Amino acid sequence: MSLSRRNFLAISGAVASVGALAACGTGASAGQKGDGTIQFWSNHPGKSQAVEQQIIDAWNAANPKTPAKLVDGGANYEELGQKFNAALAGGQLPDVIVASDVTWFNFALNKATTPLDDLWTKAGVKADTYVDTLREDYAYNGKHYGMPYARSTNLVYLNTELMQKAGLGSSGPTTWAQFAEWAPKLKEANGGKPALVIPDGKNYLDWYFQGMVWTFGGSYSKDWTPTFTSAETIAAGQFLQDQVKAGNIAISNDAVNQFATGGAAGLLESTGSLTGLTKSAKSPFFTAYLPGPKPGAATGGAGLGIPAGISDERKLNAVKFVDFLTNTANTVKFTQATGYMPVRKDALDDAAEKQFLAQNPNAMTAIRQVNENTKSQDAARVFVPGGGTRIGAALDRITTGKEDVKTVFQQLQDDTQKVVDRDIKPLI
């Protein structure tokens, strides 16, 4: 069978531990009581620190007996995960953490975060008001270990003026083959600069490339079997390398700025960059789906988890806080400030959101795409320990490093299989 997220979670209940994140379990003494303040560890996805603090201020005004404090958890999801691991090994645990599409599962698998379903009932949280697909992304072994927060897909951003100058209209390419046909025209329209810029392997190229692989008929894995050496996956890697060699695609450690300043006609980036780009881009742009055939994009972003090693009282307060942080009004506020997708079903009925989307049609692209052009990610990236980092490094080797695709992907295949054999197979 193919490994959908639900199929995987159904068969993985026997897994007890993985030698990766949170390998030492809860570490700290069970039932930590804390100091009465809800400690919220965030990496501020989408440069959201200011809006996070606004929402927290509103919570504190309404809940003075259980105030929340915003704590800087690191510059990205990985740094926050490392900080949480340190706390698990014997430090003071937070009450709420941001957990990414990659980190949440390892935390749940190792019982570092707590199942939320019973807490939802006790706190009166209406879990069915979350967008079903986003809520179920955090399901494992019949329980949920996260609540949707900064959820995203990836988009193509295209410079409106350069698209018109190249005679390509106001719609994105429908396939990657069509992009390759368009690229020389876009380069010419922009003085020879790349047609598209994509973040490098240290900035989630492994996430962006995943959709491209699917459109070539490939994948990172099938069930627990890596598929980096399949003909289709290698073809996708070769296409990416060829486009980089031709100057059609640039790989950058600051792709957003390169596009914003006119250094490329197009950008492949998260929806979470939309609001910032709207403010910083020197030229008008529009957003488009990733090229197909469908599905051409992966869901992503982060949810919110609650540590297992804190007291029941802290857990209950934490889930109430998360419910507030992600309620309809606040998910509208948060997503308008960042570009992420609203996580509550009724957000699109909100008057302020309707007005915002009417005035900002670029924001609607991701909302439509999540239902039309996405699927859940392959296990080799999000469930196999270290998958994203391992894949990203390999993609850097074939793009900026110009190494042979088959050789690099064979090593990636072998390295991934070793991790599966060592950390996964003995436990299922």
Side-chain angles (χ1 to χ4, degrees):
M1 72 179 178
S2 63
L3 183 64
S4 69
R5 185 176 291 263
R6 283 193 182 88
N7 285 338
F8 165 76
L9 297 172
I11 67 173
S12 62
V15 180
S17 177
V18 168
L21 289 172
C24 54
T26 56
S29 59
Q32 281 189 8
K33 294 188 179 298
D35 62 2
T37 299
I38 298 169
Q39 302 286 334
F40 172 34
W41 287 10
S42 178
N43 63 301
H44 322 301
K47 299 181 180 180
S48 58
Q49 184 170 1
V51 69
E52 285 178 328
Q53 189 61 57
Q54 290 174 17
I55 296 172
I56 288 171
D57 289 344
W59 164 268
N60 291 346
N63 300 274
K65 293 183 179 180
T66 55
K69 180 180 180 181
L70 182 61
V71 178
D72 191 346
N76 51 42
Y77 299 132
E78 289 73 27
E79 287 188 9
L80 194 151
Q82 292 166 7
K83 181 173 181 175
F84 184 47
N85 275 325
L88 292 169
Q92 181 63 40
L93 292 170
D95 298 82
V96 179
I97 61 166
V98 172
S100 78
D101 54 351
V102 172
T103 61
W104 82 267
F105 176 70
N106 280 307
F107 290 145
L109 192 63
N110 288 279
K111 301 180 181 179
T113 50
T114 196
L116 301 175
D117 303 73
D118 290 343
L119 288 168
W120 287 343
T121 300
K122 292 178 183 177
V125 174
K126 297 178 179 179
D128 61 353
T129 63
Y130 286 97
V131 175
D132 293 341
T133 301
L134 304 182
R135 181 191 63 243
E136 292 308 305
D137 274 344
Y138 305 102
Y140 164 57
N141 200 22
K143 298 290 185 179
H144 296 82
Y145 288 81
M147 295 166 75
Y149 179 49
R151 294 307 310 272
S152 63
T153 181
N154 28 53
L155 296 176
V156 176
Y157 297 74
L158 291 164
N159 183 301
T160 304
E161 295 172 350
L162 293 175
M163 284 287 289
Q164 292 174 348
K165 185 177 179 180
L168 298 174
S170 57
S171 298
T174 57
T175 65
W176 283 107
Q178 186 177 53
F179 164 79
E181 295 174 359
W182 285 11
K185 298 177 183 179
L186 285 169
K187 287 172 60 181
E188 183 179 358
N190 199 25
K193 297 175 183 177
L196 184 71
V197 60
I198 308 177
D200 64 13
K202 293 183 178 64
N203 292 285
Y204 309 114
L205 176 57
D206 48 292
W207 180 48
Y208 299 109
F209 179 65
Q210 192 167 199
M212 184 185 292
V213 170
W214 293 338
T215 68
F216 276 74
S219 62
Y220 289 160
S221 57
K222 297 291 187 184
D223 296 340
W224 285 117
T225 303
T227 53
F228 296 105
T229 54
S230 74
E232 296 83 0
T233 304
I234 289 174
Q238 192 63 59
F239 176 83
L240 177 63
Q241 184 181 72
D242 291 346
Q243 292 299 303
V244 172
K245 285 181 178 179
N248 294 338
I249 292 178
I251 305 298
S252 173
N253 62 4
D254 194 359
V256 171
N257 183 63
Q258 185 168 337
F259 173 74
T261 56
L267 167 71
L268 181 50
E269 244 292 340
S270 168
T271 62
S273 295
L274 178 58
T275 299
L277 270 170
T278 300
K279 296 176 181 177
S280 65
K282 292 184 176 180
S283 300
F285 65 85
F286 64 91
T287 57
Y289 287 9
L290 266 67
K294 299 176 181 180
T299 55
L304 299 170
I306 296 173
I310 61 176
S311 68
D312 290 344
E313 181 181 5
R314 288 179 69 186
K315 291 176 183 177
L316 187 60
N317 289 335
V319 83
K320 290 177 181 178
F321 168 71
V322 173
D323 185 44
F324 177 85
L325 187 65
T326 60
N327 68 24
T328 300
N330 287 330
T331 192
V332 167
K333 179 189 290 288
F334 181 82
T335 56
Q336 289 183 8
T338 59
Y340 287 105
M341 297 181 292
V343 300
R344 299 279 185 162
K345 293 176 182 176
D346 62 354
L348 297 184
D349 297 324
D350 181 85
E353 182 72 348
K354 286 182 177 180
Q355 182 179 3
F356 176 80
L357 291 173
Q359 296 173 347
N360 299 274
N362 279 334
M364 194 65 193
T365 307
I367 296 172
R368 292 198 309 267
Q369 180 172 239
V370 75
N371 294 316
E372 299 177 8
N373 191 39
T374 61
K375 71 172 183 177
S376 296
Q377 300 183 54
D378 294 334
R381 179 175 189 266
V382 292
F383 293 144
V384 177
T389 299
R390 189 163 41 249
I391 298 167
L395 294 176
D396 278 346
R397 289 174 62 189
I398 69 167
T399 53
T400 55
K402 303 178 181 179
E403 295 185 45
D404 178 70
V405 174
K406 288 185 178 180
T407 301
V408 172
F409 278 23
Q410 181 64 62
Q411 184 177 340
L412 179 58
Q413 174 87 6
D414 295 342
D415 290 346
T416 304
Q417 189 65 60
K418 288 177 183 177
V419 178
V420 172
D421 291 343
R422 183 191 66 212
D423 295 338
I424 302 295
K425 284 190 175 181
L427 304 170
I428 60 174

